[in-house]
Short mmCIF file of all heavy atoms in Angstrom, two decimals:
data_model
loop_
_atom_site.label_atom_id
_atom_site.label_comp_id
_atom_site.label_asym_id
_atom_site.label_seq_id
_atom_site.Cartn_x
_atom_site.Cartn_y
_atom_site.Cartn_z
N MET A 186 -37.92 -4.40 76.36
CA MET A 186 -37.06 -4.16 75.29
C MET A 186 -36.97 -2.68 74.91
O MET A 186 -38.15 -2.26 74.76
CB MET A 186 -37.49 -5.11 74.07
CG MET A 186 -36.53 -4.98 72.96
SD MET A 186 -37.00 -6.09 71.46
CE MET A 186 -37.03 -7.64 72.15
N GLN A 187 -35.89 -2.19 74.76
CA GLN A 187 -35.73 -0.85 74.35
C GLN A 187 -35.55 -0.65 72.83
O GLN A 187 -35.30 -1.67 72.17
CB GLN A 187 -34.37 -0.30 75.07
CG GLN A 187 -34.54 -0.26 76.57
CD GLN A 187 -33.35 0.36 77.20
OE1 GLN A 187 -32.45 0.79 76.45
NE2 GLN A 187 -33.30 0.35 78.52
N GLU A 188 -35.80 0.56 72.41
CA GLU A 188 -35.77 0.79 70.89
C GLU A 188 -34.35 0.38 70.38
O GLU A 188 -34.35 -0.10 69.23
CB GLU A 188 -36.09 2.30 70.75
CG GLU A 188 -36.31 2.59 69.30
CD GLU A 188 -36.74 4.06 69.04
OE1 GLU A 188 -37.38 4.51 70.05
OE2 GLU A 188 -36.54 4.53 68.11
N THR A 189 -33.37 0.62 71.05
CA THR A 189 -31.97 0.26 70.64
C THR A 189 -31.77 -1.12 70.46
O THR A 189 -30.95 -1.56 69.85
CB THR A 189 -30.86 0.96 71.53
OG1 THR A 189 -31.09 0.47 72.84
CG2 THR A 189 -30.96 2.46 71.50
N ASP A 190 -32.60 -1.99 71.10
CA ASP A 190 -32.59 -3.43 71.07
C ASP A 190 -32.95 -3.89 69.70
O ASP A 190 -32.55 -5.04 69.31
CB ASP A 190 -33.21 -4.19 72.30
CG ASP A 190 -32.67 -3.89 73.56
OD1 ASP A 190 -31.37 -3.59 73.63
OD2 ASP A 190 -33.41 -3.96 74.54
N VAL A 191 -33.77 -3.15 69.03
CA VAL A 191 -34.45 -3.59 67.73
C VAL A 191 -33.46 -3.05 66.62
O VAL A 191 -33.93 -2.31 65.89
CB VAL A 191 -35.86 -3.04 67.66
CG1 VAL A 191 -36.53 -3.60 66.42
CG2 VAL A 191 -36.64 -3.41 68.92
N VAL A 192 -32.37 -3.67 66.61
CA VAL A 192 -31.42 -3.15 65.49
C VAL A 192 -31.08 -4.35 64.61
O VAL A 192 -31.17 -4.41 63.45
CB VAL A 192 -30.10 -2.70 66.12
CG1 VAL A 192 -29.13 -2.38 65.06
CG2 VAL A 192 -30.40 -1.35 66.98
N SER A 193 -30.63 -5.37 65.22
CA SER A 193 -30.14 -6.65 64.48
C SER A 193 -31.21 -7.82 64.32
O SER A 193 -31.69 -8.15 65.34
CB SER A 193 -28.93 -7.22 65.14
OG SER A 193 -28.54 -8.41 64.54
N LEU A 194 -31.59 -8.14 63.10
CA LEU A 194 -32.53 -9.17 62.95
C LEU A 194 -32.11 -10.46 63.61
O LEU A 194 -32.73 -11.27 64.13
CB LEU A 194 -32.77 -9.26 61.46
CG LEU A 194 -33.99 -10.15 61.10
CD1 LEU A 194 -35.31 -9.74 61.74
CD2 LEU A 194 -34.15 -10.30 59.56
N LYS A 195 -30.75 -10.62 63.50
CA LYS A 195 -29.99 -11.78 64.02
C LYS A 195 -30.27 -11.90 65.63
O LYS A 195 -30.56 -12.86 66.27
CB LYS A 195 -28.48 -11.95 63.71
CG LYS A 195 -27.98 -13.13 64.12
CD LYS A 195 -26.48 -13.19 63.64
CE LYS A 195 -25.85 -14.56 64.17
NZ LYS A 195 -24.42 -14.44 63.60
N ALA A 196 -30.04 -10.73 66.15
CA ALA A 196 -30.17 -10.56 67.62
C ALA A 196 -31.63 -10.87 68.12
O ALA A 196 -32.01 -11.60 69.04
CB ALA A 196 -29.64 -9.23 68.10
N LEU A 197 -32.58 -10.36 67.33
CA LEU A 197 -33.96 -10.57 67.48
C LEU A 197 -34.36 -11.93 67.45
O LEU A 197 -35.18 -12.39 68.16
CB LEU A 197 -34.87 -9.65 66.59
CG LEU A 197 -34.86 -8.20 66.90
CD1 LEU A 197 -35.59 -7.39 65.73
CD2 LEU A 197 -35.55 -7.88 68.23
N THR A 198 -33.83 -12.61 66.38
CA THR A 198 -34.22 -14.02 66.25
C THR A 198 -33.75 -14.79 67.42
O THR A 198 -34.38 -15.67 67.86
CB THR A 198 -33.38 -14.56 64.93
OG1 THR A 198 -33.94 -13.69 63.80
CG2 THR A 198 -33.83 -16.07 64.76
N CYS A 199 -32.62 -14.44 68.08
CA CYS A 199 -32.08 -15.12 69.24
C CYS A 199 -33.01 -14.96 70.36
O CYS A 199 -33.36 -15.96 71.16
CB CYS A 199 -30.65 -14.74 69.58
SG CYS A 199 -29.40 -15.19 68.46
N LEU A 200 -33.48 -13.68 70.48
CA LEU A 200 -34.58 -13.36 71.59
C LEU A 200 -35.82 -14.07 71.33
O LEU A 200 -36.34 -14.70 72.33
CB LEU A 200 -34.81 -11.87 71.69
CG LEU A 200 -33.66 -11.03 72.21
CD1 LEU A 200 -34.11 -9.54 71.90
CD2 LEU A 200 -33.47 -11.29 73.63
N VAL A 201 -36.27 -14.26 70.14
CA VAL A 201 -37.39 -15.05 69.87
C VAL A 201 -37.27 -16.49 70.22
O VAL A 201 -38.13 -17.18 70.97
CB VAL A 201 -37.89 -14.88 68.35
CG1 VAL A 201 -38.94 -15.84 67.99
CG2 VAL A 201 -38.23 -13.41 68.17
N MET A 202 -36.19 -16.94 69.78
CA MET A 202 -35.88 -18.56 70.14
C MET A 202 -35.83 -18.76 71.65
O MET A 202 -36.42 -19.73 72.09
CB MET A 202 -34.53 -18.82 69.44
CG MET A 202 -34.59 -18.89 67.94
SD MET A 202 -33.04 -19.15 67.11
CE MET A 202 -32.65 -20.92 67.71
N ALA A 203 -35.32 -17.71 72.39
CA ALA A 203 -35.18 -17.94 73.88
C ALA A 203 -36.77 -17.98 74.56
O ALA A 203 -37.00 -18.44 75.61
CB ALA A 203 -34.54 -16.83 74.44
N ASN A 204 -37.64 -17.29 73.80
CA ASN A 204 -38.92 -17.22 74.30
C ASN A 204 -40.06 -17.78 73.38
O ASN A 204 -41.25 -17.25 73.27
CB ASN A 204 -39.34 -15.69 74.47
CG ASN A 204 -38.28 -15.05 75.45
OD1 ASN A 204 -38.50 -15.32 76.59
ND2 ASN A 204 -37.34 -14.26 75.02
N TYR A 205 -39.63 -18.73 72.59
CA TYR A 205 -40.41 -19.14 71.47
C TYR A 205 -41.82 -19.70 71.84
O TYR A 205 -42.81 -19.51 71.00
CB TYR A 205 -39.59 -20.31 70.77
CG TYR A 205 -40.24 -20.72 69.31
CD1 TYR A 205 -40.47 -19.74 68.35
CD2 TYR A 205 -41.07 -21.83 69.14
CE1 TYR A 205 -41.07 -19.87 67.21
CE2 TYR A 205 -41.55 -22.03 68.00
CZ TYR A 205 -41.64 -21.08 66.96
OH TYR A 205 -42.27 -21.38 65.74
N ASP A 206 -41.93 -20.29 73.06
CA ASP A 206 -43.23 -20.70 73.51
C ASP A 206 -44.30 -19.64 73.46
O ASP A 206 -45.52 -19.74 73.10
CB ASP A 206 -43.28 -21.44 74.90
CG ASP A 206 -42.53 -22.72 74.85
OD1 ASP A 206 -42.34 -23.32 73.73
OD2 ASP A 206 -42.03 -23.20 76.04
N ASP A 207 -43.88 -18.44 73.97
CA ASP A 207 -44.69 -17.27 73.98
C ASP A 207 -45.15 -16.81 72.55
O ASP A 207 -46.23 -16.35 72.39
CB ASP A 207 -44.06 -16.08 74.70
CG ASP A 207 -43.88 -16.51 76.16
OD1 ASP A 207 -44.61 -17.12 76.77
OD2 ASP A 207 -42.91 -15.94 76.89
N PHE A 208 -44.14 -16.92 71.58
CA PHE A 208 -44.36 -16.45 70.28
C PHE A 208 -45.24 -17.43 69.61
O PHE A 208 -46.14 -17.11 68.68
CB PHE A 208 -43.05 -16.28 69.50
CG PHE A 208 -42.35 -15.06 69.83
CD1 PHE A 208 -41.42 -14.93 70.73
CD2 PHE A 208 -42.73 -13.79 69.30
CE1 PHE A 208 -40.80 -13.73 71.09
CE2 PHE A 208 -42.14 -12.61 69.62
CZ PHE A 208 -41.20 -12.59 70.57
N GLU A 209 -45.19 -18.62 69.90
CA GLU A 209 -46.13 -19.68 69.27
C GLU A 209 -47.52 -19.39 69.66
O GLU A 209 -48.54 -19.40 68.94
CB GLU A 209 -45.70 -21.14 69.65
CG GLU A 209 -44.67 -21.65 68.89
CD GLU A 209 -44.48 -23.21 69.18
OE1 GLU A 209 -44.36 -23.48 70.39
OE2 GLU A 209 -44.30 -23.89 68.18
N ALA A 210 -47.66 -19.02 71.02
CA ALA A 210 -49.07 -18.64 71.42
C ALA A 210 -49.53 -17.36 70.77
O ALA A 210 -50.76 -17.33 70.32
CB ALA A 210 -49.04 -18.47 72.91
N LEU A 211 -48.55 -16.47 70.62
CA LEU A 211 -49.03 -15.20 69.80
C LEU A 211 -49.40 -15.61 68.42
O LEU A 211 -50.39 -14.97 67.88
CB LEU A 211 -47.82 -14.27 69.93
CG LEU A 211 -47.93 -12.99 69.01
CD1 LEU A 211 -49.13 -12.14 69.65
CD2 LEU A 211 -46.67 -12.25 68.98
N GLY A 212 -48.64 -16.56 67.79
CA GLY A 212 -49.02 -16.97 66.37
C GLY A 212 -50.35 -17.44 66.24
O GLY A 212 -51.02 -17.24 65.22
N ASP A 213 -50.96 -18.08 67.25
CA ASP A 213 -52.35 -18.47 67.14
C ASP A 213 -53.35 -17.25 67.22
O ASP A 213 -54.22 -17.17 66.50
CB ASP A 213 -52.64 -19.37 68.34
CG ASP A 213 -51.94 -20.82 68.22
OD1 ASP A 213 -51.64 -21.13 67.16
OD2 ASP A 213 -51.89 -21.35 69.33
N ILE A 214 -52.93 -16.26 67.91
CA ILE A 214 -53.71 -15.01 68.03
C ILE A 214 -53.75 -14.25 66.65
O ILE A 214 -54.76 -13.74 66.19
CB ILE A 214 -53.25 -14.14 69.19
CG1 ILE A 214 -53.45 -15.10 70.51
CG2 ILE A 214 -54.03 -12.88 69.21
CD1 ILE A 214 -52.84 -14.38 71.69
N ILE A 215 -52.57 -14.06 66.18
CA ILE A 215 -52.31 -13.23 64.97
C ILE A 215 -52.34 -14.04 63.67
O ILE A 215 -52.07 -13.57 62.50
CB ILE A 215 -51.08 -12.47 65.01
CG1 ILE A 215 -49.73 -13.26 64.97
CG2 ILE A 215 -51.23 -11.42 66.14
CD1 ILE A 215 -48.57 -12.33 65.09
N ASP A 216 -52.71 -15.25 63.72
CA ASP A 216 -52.98 -16.16 62.65
C ASP A 216 -51.62 -16.44 61.82
O ASP A 216 -51.60 -16.34 60.53
CB ASP A 216 -54.00 -15.60 61.67
CG ASP A 216 -54.59 -16.78 60.75
OD1 ASP A 216 -54.56 -17.93 61.12
OD2 ASP A 216 -55.09 -16.40 59.72
N VAL A 217 -50.54 -16.74 62.63
CA VAL A 217 -49.28 -17.21 61.90
C VAL A 217 -49.13 -18.58 62.24
O VAL A 217 -48.86 -18.90 63.36
CB VAL A 217 -48.12 -16.36 62.54
CG1 VAL A 217 -46.81 -16.84 61.93
CG2 VAL A 217 -48.32 -14.87 62.24
N LYS A 218 -49.40 -19.35 61.27
CA LYS A 218 -49.39 -20.89 61.45
C LYS A 218 -48.60 -21.61 60.37
O LYS A 218 -48.12 -21.08 59.37
CB LYS A 218 -50.85 -21.35 61.34
CG LYS A 218 -51.65 -20.82 62.51
CD LYS A 218 -53.17 -21.15 62.41
CE LYS A 218 -54.00 -20.36 63.43
NZ LYS A 218 -55.28 -20.53 63.37
N GLY A 219 -48.33 -22.90 60.76
CA GLY A 219 -47.67 -23.73 59.80
C GLY A 219 -46.37 -23.26 59.59
O GLY A 219 -45.56 -23.02 60.43
N LYS A 220 -45.81 -23.31 58.31
CA LYS A 220 -44.44 -23.02 57.98
C LYS A 220 -44.00 -21.57 58.29
O LYS A 220 -42.87 -21.32 58.50
CB LYS A 220 -44.00 -23.22 56.57
CG LYS A 220 -44.01 -24.67 56.04
CD LYS A 220 -43.79 -24.86 54.73
CE LYS A 220 -43.71 -26.29 54.27
NZ LYS A 220 -43.34 -26.60 52.94
N LYS A 221 -44.98 -20.72 58.44
CA LYS A 221 -44.70 -19.37 58.75
C LYS A 221 -44.43 -18.98 60.17
O LYS A 221 -43.90 -18.19 60.57
CB LYS A 221 -45.91 -18.48 58.37
CG LYS A 221 -46.08 -18.24 56.91
CD LYS A 221 -47.25 -17.27 56.56
CE LYS A 221 -47.31 -17.27 54.93
NZ LYS A 221 -48.59 -16.46 54.66
N SER A 222 -44.81 -20.07 61.13
CA SER A 222 -44.51 -19.95 62.49
C SER A 222 -43.22 -20.44 62.80
O SER A 222 -43.05 -21.60 63.27
CB SER A 222 -45.67 -20.81 63.29
OG SER A 222 -45.43 -20.58 64.66
N ASN A 223 -42.23 -19.60 62.68
CA ASN A 223 -40.88 -19.84 63.13
C ASN A 223 -40.16 -18.57 63.57
O ASN A 223 -40.69 -17.50 63.47
CB ASN A 223 -40.22 -20.29 61.76
CG ASN A 223 -40.09 -19.28 60.58
OD1 ASN A 223 -39.57 -18.15 60.79
ND2 ASN A 223 -40.75 -19.48 59.48
N PRO A 224 -39.05 -18.75 64.21
CA PRO A 224 -38.37 -17.59 64.80
C PRO A 224 -38.07 -16.37 63.77
O PRO A 224 -38.21 -15.27 64.20
CB PRO A 224 -37.12 -18.19 65.39
CG PRO A 224 -37.36 -19.57 65.56
CD PRO A 224 -38.31 -20.01 64.56
N ASP A 225 -37.69 -16.78 62.60
CA ASP A 225 -37.44 -15.62 61.65
C ASP A 225 -38.67 -14.69 61.41
O ASP A 225 -38.60 -13.59 61.34
CB ASP A 225 -36.96 -16.22 60.40
CG ASP A 225 -35.53 -16.90 60.54
OD1 ASP A 225 -34.72 -16.38 61.27
OD2 ASP A 225 -35.24 -17.76 59.67
N THR A 226 -39.73 -15.38 61.39
CA THR A 226 -41.11 -14.59 61.05
C THR A 226 -41.31 -13.68 62.22
O THR A 226 -41.57 -12.47 62.01
CB THR A 226 -42.22 -15.63 60.88
OG1 THR A 226 -42.02 -16.36 59.79
CG2 THR A 226 -43.60 -14.81 60.69
N TYR A 227 -41.15 -14.16 63.44
CA TYR A 227 -41.52 -13.40 64.57
C TYR A 227 -40.48 -12.25 64.73
O TYR A 227 -40.89 -11.13 65.09
CB TYR A 227 -41.66 -14.15 65.82
CG TYR A 227 -42.80 -15.09 65.80
CD1 TYR A 227 -42.52 -16.44 65.73
CD2 TYR A 227 -44.18 -14.72 65.62
CE1 TYR A 227 -43.60 -17.38 65.63
CE2 TYR A 227 -45.26 -15.55 65.54
CZ TYR A 227 -45.06 -16.90 65.55
OH TYR A 227 -46.04 -17.78 65.44
N ALA A 228 -39.26 -12.51 64.50
CA ALA A 228 -38.19 -11.49 64.50
C ALA A 228 -38.46 -10.41 63.56
O ALA A 228 -38.25 -9.15 63.81
CB ALA A 228 -36.76 -12.21 64.34
N LYS A 229 -38.99 -10.70 62.28
CA LYS A 229 -39.13 -9.72 61.27
C LYS A 229 -40.39 -8.85 61.69
O LYS A 229 -40.32 -7.66 61.46
CB LYS A 229 -39.46 -10.43 59.98
CG LYS A 229 -38.28 -10.99 59.35
CD LYS A 229 -38.58 -11.78 58.18
CE LYS A 229 -37.40 -12.43 57.53
NZ LYS A 229 -37.72 -13.34 56.37
N ILE A 230 -41.36 -9.44 62.36
CA ILE A 230 -42.48 -8.74 62.88
C ILE A 230 -42.06 -7.74 63.99
O ILE A 230 -42.41 -6.55 63.90
CB ILE A 230 -43.67 -9.65 63.54
CG1 ILE A 230 -44.20 -10.41 62.42
CG2 ILE A 230 -44.64 -8.98 64.24
CD1 ILE A 230 -45.22 -11.68 62.89
N ILE A 231 -41.25 -8.13 64.87
CA ILE A 231 -40.79 -7.24 65.93
C ILE A 231 -39.81 -6.12 65.29
O ILE A 231 -39.86 -5.06 65.71
CB ILE A 231 -39.93 -7.96 66.90
CG1 ILE A 231 -40.91 -8.84 67.67
CG2 ILE A 231 -39.26 -7.02 67.98
CD1 ILE A 231 -40.11 -9.93 68.66
N HIS A 232 -39.04 -6.55 64.25
CA HIS A 232 -38.20 -5.60 63.63
C HIS A 232 -38.90 -4.43 62.88
O HIS A 232 -38.53 -3.35 62.93
CB HIS A 232 -37.27 -6.33 62.70
CG HIS A 232 -36.16 -5.68 62.23
ND1 HIS A 232 -35.93 -5.06 60.89
CD2 HIS A 232 -34.95 -5.40 62.97
CE1 HIS A 232 -34.74 -4.56 60.88
NE2 HIS A 232 -34.10 -4.66 62.09
N ILE A 233 -40.05 -4.78 62.33
CA ILE A 233 -40.84 -3.74 61.50
C ILE A 233 -41.74 -2.94 62.34
O ILE A 233 -42.01 -1.70 61.92
CB ILE A 233 -41.56 -4.45 60.35
CG1 ILE A 233 -41.93 -3.39 59.30
CG2 ILE A 233 -42.85 -5.23 60.92
CD1 ILE A 233 -42.42 -4.07 58.07
N LEU A 234 -42.14 -3.34 63.59
CA LEU A 234 -43.08 -2.41 64.44
C LEU A 234 -42.62 -1.08 64.70
O LEU A 234 -43.27 -0.16 64.53
CB LEU A 234 -43.29 -3.29 65.71
CG LEU A 234 -44.20 -4.39 65.55
CD1 LEU A 234 -44.35 -5.16 66.90
CD2 LEU A 234 -45.62 -4.05 64.98
N PRO A 235 -41.28 -0.77 65.10
CA PRO A 235 -40.78 0.58 65.18
C PRO A 235 -40.76 1.37 63.95
O PRO A 235 -41.11 2.65 63.89
CB PRO A 235 -39.45 0.38 65.74
CG PRO A 235 -39.30 -0.92 66.30
CD PRO A 235 -40.26 -1.83 65.50
N LEU A 236 -40.67 0.66 62.83
CA LEU A 236 -40.66 1.38 61.56
C LEU A 236 -42.08 1.93 61.23
O LEU A 236 -42.22 2.92 60.65
CB LEU A 236 -40.18 0.53 60.45
CG LEU A 236 -38.70 0.07 60.60
CD1 LEU A 236 -38.25 -0.74 59.39
CD2 LEU A 236 -37.78 1.26 60.34
N GLU A 237 -42.97 1.05 61.53
CA GLU A 237 -44.48 1.31 61.23
C GLU A 237 -44.91 2.48 62.10
O GLU A 237 -45.60 3.38 61.55
CB GLU A 237 -45.37 -0.01 61.70
CG GLU A 237 -46.83 0.29 61.30
CD GLU A 237 -47.57 -0.94 61.69
OE1 GLU A 237 -47.13 -2.14 61.53
OE2 GLU A 237 -48.80 -0.65 62.21
N LYS A 238 -44.37 2.55 63.33
CA LYS A 238 -44.72 3.75 64.17
C LYS A 238 -43.98 5.03 63.59
O LYS A 238 -44.78 6.11 63.56
CB LYS A 238 -44.11 3.55 65.59
CG LYS A 238 -44.37 4.68 66.46
CD LYS A 238 -43.77 4.36 67.91
CE LYS A 238 -43.93 5.54 68.76
NZ LYS A 238 -43.02 5.50 70.04
N ASP A 239 -42.78 4.84 63.16
CA ASP A 239 -42.18 6.03 62.57
C ASP A 239 -42.90 6.53 61.24
O ASP A 239 -43.07 7.72 61.11
CB ASP A 239 -40.66 5.83 62.25
CG ASP A 239 -39.94 5.61 63.36
OD1 ASP A 239 -40.25 6.03 64.54
OD2 ASP A 239 -38.70 5.05 63.34
N ILE A 240 -43.48 5.65 60.41
CA ILE A 240 -44.02 5.94 59.26
C ILE A 240 -45.44 6.60 59.64
O ILE A 240 -45.78 7.61 59.03
CB ILE A 240 -44.30 4.66 58.33
CG1 ILE A 240 -42.92 4.33 57.77
CG2 ILE A 240 -45.35 4.99 57.30
CD1 ILE A 240 -42.99 3.01 57.12
N LYS A 241 -46.18 6.06 60.58
CA LYS A 241 -47.37 6.69 60.95
C LYS A 241 -47.17 8.13 61.44
O LYS A 241 -47.89 9.05 61.12
CB LYS A 241 -48.11 5.84 62.17
CG LYS A 241 -49.46 6.48 62.57
CD LYS A 241 -50.09 5.69 63.60
CE LYS A 241 -51.38 6.21 64.05
NZ LYS A 241 -51.59 7.51 64.04
N THR A 242 -46.20 8.40 62.33
CA THR A 242 -45.88 9.73 62.77
C THR A 242 -45.57 10.55 61.68
O THR A 242 -46.00 11.80 61.65
CB THR A 242 -44.58 9.63 63.76
OG1 THR A 242 -44.81 8.77 64.84
CG2 THR A 242 -44.29 11.06 64.21
N LEU A 243 -44.66 10.18 60.73
CA LEU A 243 -44.43 11.07 59.54
C LEU A 243 -45.59 11.39 58.62
O LEU A 243 -45.92 12.55 58.43
CB LEU A 243 -43.50 10.20 58.60
CG LEU A 243 -43.01 10.97 57.25
CD1 LEU A 243 -42.28 12.19 57.50
CD2 LEU A 243 -42.19 9.95 56.38
N MET A 244 -46.58 10.22 58.42
CA MET A 244 -47.76 10.67 57.70
C MET A 244 -48.65 11.55 58.50
O MET A 244 -49.31 12.45 57.89
CB MET A 244 -48.49 9.27 57.50
CG MET A 244 -47.81 8.29 56.55
SD MET A 244 -47.39 9.12 54.92
CE MET A 244 -48.97 9.37 54.28
N ASP A 245 -48.72 11.42 59.83
CA ASP A 245 -49.56 12.34 60.62
C ASP A 245 -49.07 13.81 60.55
O ASP A 245 -49.72 14.76 60.47
CB ASP A 245 -49.67 11.87 62.05
CG ASP A 245 -50.38 10.66 62.39
OD1 ASP A 245 -51.18 10.35 61.48
OD2 ASP A 245 -50.17 10.00 63.36
N ASN A 246 -47.65 13.86 60.50
CA ASN A 246 -47.04 15.22 60.39
C ASN A 246 -47.40 15.91 59.10
O ASN A 246 -47.53 16.93 58.79
CB ASN A 246 -45.57 15.20 60.71
CG ASN A 246 -45.31 14.97 62.24
OD1 ASN A 246 -46.11 15.27 62.92
ND2 ASN A 246 -44.14 14.40 62.44
N LEU A 247 -47.25 15.01 58.02
CA LEU A 247 -47.53 15.49 56.67
C LEU A 247 -48.94 15.88 56.51
O LEU A 247 -49.18 16.89 55.68
CB LEU A 247 -47.15 14.53 55.66
CG LEU A 247 -45.66 14.19 55.37
CD1 LEU A 247 -45.47 12.95 54.50
CD2 LEU A 247 -44.93 15.38 54.98
N ASN A 248 -49.92 15.27 57.10
CA ASN A 248 -51.23 15.60 56.84
C ASN A 248 -51.71 16.66 57.86
O ASN A 248 -52.89 17.14 57.75
CB ASN A 248 -52.15 14.35 57.14
CG ASN A 248 -51.96 13.19 56.14
OD1 ASN A 248 -51.72 13.69 54.92
ND2 ASN A 248 -51.95 11.96 56.48
N SER A 249 -50.98 17.15 58.73
CA SER A 249 -51.38 18.25 59.58
C SER A 249 -51.06 19.57 59.15
O SER A 249 -50.40 19.85 58.22
CB SER A 249 -50.86 17.99 60.99
OG SER A 249 -49.38 18.10 61.13
#
């Protein structure tokens, strides 16, 4: 998946649904269970990861 692919939450949800078995296995590892284990939750996680990287880079630059 390329960075430009992580734009639309709706598109990410479709990708998660197509690979949901893998995300369910991931949910056991990262402790996402019960009602939280759904395509929307995993799409939101994928959606925020690039933002987290950008924030870390910004903070590193501010602290240097």
Side-chain angles (χ1 to χ4, degrees):
M186 186 179 292
Q187 295 181 3
E188 190 172 332
T189 54
D190 293 333
V191 184
V192 176
S193 165
L194 193 55
K195 184 176 181 179
L197 286 174
T198 303
C199 290
L200 288 171
V201 169
M202 289 173 65
N204 299 286
Y205 192 66
D206 290 342
D207 296 328
F208 283 96
E209 279 189 312
L211 176 64
D213 291 338
I214 296 168
I215 62 173
D216 201 28
V217 175
K218 298 176 182 170
K220 290 183 179 181
K221 291 182 181 179
S222 181
N223 62 64
D225 290 336
T226 298
Y227 297 115
K229 289 174 184 174
I230 291 170
I231 294 169
H232 199 253
I233 201 167
L234 288 175
L236 296 175
E237 182 179 324
K238 180 182 172 191
D239 291 343
I240 291 169
K241 183 184 181 325
T242 301
L243 176 64
M244 294 304 291
D245 289 345
N246 289 336
L247 288 173
N248 291 327
S249 59

